[in-house]
Structures are given as structure tokens and as C-alpha cells.
Amino acid sequence: MDVKLQLEGAESNLEQMGSLGDRSMHEFEDDSLFTPEAESEKIQRVHGLQNGSVSGDFPSSGNKILQNSVCRSIKTVVFSNKLNLLMPFGPLAIMVHNLTGHKGWVFFLSLLGITPLAERLGQLTFFTGATVGGLLNATFGNATELIISIYALKSGMIRVVQLSLLGSILSNMLLVLGCAFFCGGLICCKKEQVFNKASAVVNSGLLLMAVMGLVFPAVLHYTHTEVHFGKSELALSRFSSCIMLVAYGAYLFFQLRGQTELYVPLSEDENQTGNDADHGGNHDDNEAPEISKWESLIWLAIMTAWISILSQYVVDAIEGASASWNIPISFISVILLPIVGNAAEHASAIMFAMKDKLDISLGVAIGSSTQISMFGIPFCVVIGWIMGRPMDLNFQLFETATLFITVIVVAFFLQEGTSNYFKGLMLILCYLIVAASFFVHEDPTPDDNQVKT
């Protein structure tokens, strides 16, 4: 009996479970029939609401973000530096040129207007390291001199091109480097600043090679030993310029790809700085750029175009300014133009020297001199060749001797790989001597600044 009762109870339980299973299946089928429609209706309603809100809000929010980005970029680039207060002098120079035509004031105001633009061209160096950063800063800093030189070459003012490029080399090697050593030595007076001697030696060798390229055409001219008078000197200059361009290209490959370990600036100090930064220490070496790379490229294009416009007024007003101020054209070309054009190198070199980053300072100052001597001057010779202008490497005896002595003096100062404020002061005083020499120097061939026929 007990077994029979248990069997009946089990059967009744199975029937109840089956009924529950049937009911749950019916409910599942009902849900499966109605849920997709309900869900589709819900999705349509939600999409409708979302589309309405996005179509109404997205353009306004996007425009607001764009406006904020533009305002922030303008504030960072235009209003972040007190030197930018000189920017209005550019349009003022154009107004004076159109209203009065006074060459002296046009030249002076144009120089003031170009100065902050030349300084701002070093913005992209924040995205790179020491070697590439110094190279980019030197390149963008030299853009002003190259633009002025091309316009002067187009106008047939060959002597202005030669003297302005020579002045850029002298300014970078003596004034910019001297101010960097002097300011860095005053800030870091309790220790001796050091830099990588390898890169300094290589740059000194390239500068001596540039001097050699300038000496031989001058010697050939003054000894009257040309095979074809008036042609051998120009042919030698063009051949030497091509060789110098090849040498500079090989130098770039050597510097950036071939022997990169020679240009790692003070690795021990960088590692220590990195460890301090990881522990919340010094963050000055890892400064984040204030604007993006694309914003910097846009500003670079705008400023380069504006410099090109002002450079035309500078070139056209040089002779008038020399006559009205009673100042030799050689002094204007060698001293005044490079000081304005080297604003980027000057500011960057001093800033990095005060932060005890002399490798970048040397990359900016000496690297800029190397770039002008091994690339800028030969490039202008080749451009003149294309234009049909007899631009050569004969910079005359006085100018070539000045460059040779300057290279020797700077090479002696760099041979120890150390820096202090006294070395900086000596370089600045040497530049004052050079400036005084060109103030009393009269170009023996004033007709060379015109097109030779």
C-alpha cells in the first residue's frame, strides 16, 4: 500500500509540473509574440527623441567648441608674450609707406613688426627632443633671413643678401650664444654648466668648411688668377655651393640617424630628472605644449606669409633708410637685420640655458649658424643661379676675415665642453667689436648690390 501511494503521489507531482511547464511555455510564446513589437516601438520613440535633440544641439555645441578653440589658440600665440605688442607695427609700416613713403620709418617699423613674428616661429620645437628641437628652432628661426634674402636677390641686391646671411652667422655665434652662456651662468652660478662636446666639435668643423668655401673665391678674385676672368669665380662658387649642400645633407643624416648616441644630451641628468618626475618631482623638463601641432602648423603658415609681406617693405626701404639715417648699408645688413631675424634663436637659447639645457641652446645658436653657412648661403647661390643672378661666395676680404676669426674664437670657447657667465660676456664683447667694425666699414664695391650685367 505504501509503495502504491508513493507512486500515485509522484504521478500527481509530474502532472502539476507539466501543467506549469505548459503554462510557462504559453507565457513565453505570448511574450515572444508581443515583445519585439513593443521593443521596436520603444526604439523608434527613443530614436526620434535622440534625433530631435542631436539635430538641434550638435551644431551649436560644435560651433561653440570651435570658437573656444580658436580663442584659446589666439590667446596663447598672440597675447601670451609681451614681445607680441610689436605686432601692430607691421600694418603701421604699410600705412606709412602708402601715406608718406618715408623709407627710414618704413624700414624701422617693418623691423619692429617682424621681430615678434620671427620669435613665434619656434613654436613647433615643443613637440620634439633636444636634437630635433634645436634643428627645427634653427630652421624656423632662419626662415626670416631666407625670405628677406630671396626678395633681395630677386631685386638684384646681391651684397645685401651676402651681408645679411653673414650677419646672421655672426649674430648667432657671438651674440645669441654669448647671451645664453651669460644668462645661464648667472642663474646656475653655483655649478659649472656642461654640454656635449661631440656635437660642438662637429658643428665647428662644418663652420670651418664653410669658411673654406668662402675663402677660395675671395682669394681667387683678389689674386687675379682666374682662368676665365669674371667666370671662374662664379663657377667655383656654384660648384662649392653644391658640395656644401651635399655635406649638410650628410650632416643631417649623421645627426638624426647615423650617430644618434653622440647627441644624447647628458643622459645621466635626464634619467635622474625622469625619476624625479615619476615621484612628483621636477616637471619642468616635461612641459606640455599649450597648443596642438596642427594649430602650430596653421600659425606657422600665417606668420610666414606675413613675414614675406613685410620683408618686401624691408628690402625696398634699406637704401632709403641708409641715406636718411646716414648709416652704412653694411651695418644695416650685418647687424640690424640679423638681430631681428634671430629673435627666435635668441629667446629660445636664453630660455633653455636658464633651465640648464645647454645642449638645446647650442643646437639653436651654433646649429643655426651651421645651417646658414652650409645651407642658407649655398641655397641662395643656387637660387640666384636659377634666377640668372650672379650670386657667388666672394664675400669680400673684410667680411671673410671677420667670419674666419669668429669661427676660431668660438671653437676655442667650445673645446672644453663647459660654460660660465664669463665666457658669455667675452662673446658679447666680441660681437660689440664686430658691430663697431662694420659701422665704420664702407663697402669697397657699392655697385655689387645691383644686378651685374
Side-chain angles (χ1 to χ4, degrees), residues 1-13:
M1 290 293 295
D2 296 333
V3 175
K4 186 176 181 179
L5 291 173
Q6 291 177 359
L7 291 173
E8 291 177 354
E11 291 176 356
S12 63
N13 290 333

Side-chain angles (χ1 to χ4, degrees), residues 17 51 85 100 114 170 181 284 353-354:
M17 292 175 64
N51 291 334
L85 295 175
T100 65
I114 288 178
L170 299 176
F181 281 0
D284 291 338
M354 293 174 67

Side-chain angles (χ1 to χ4, degrees), residues 64-76 295 299:
K64 186 175 181 181
I65 294 174
L66 181 61
Q67 292 176 359
N68 292 335
S69 177
V70 171
C71 293
R72 176 181 55 81
S73 180
I74 294 175
K75 180 179 179 181
T76 301
E295 289 175 324
W299 280 109

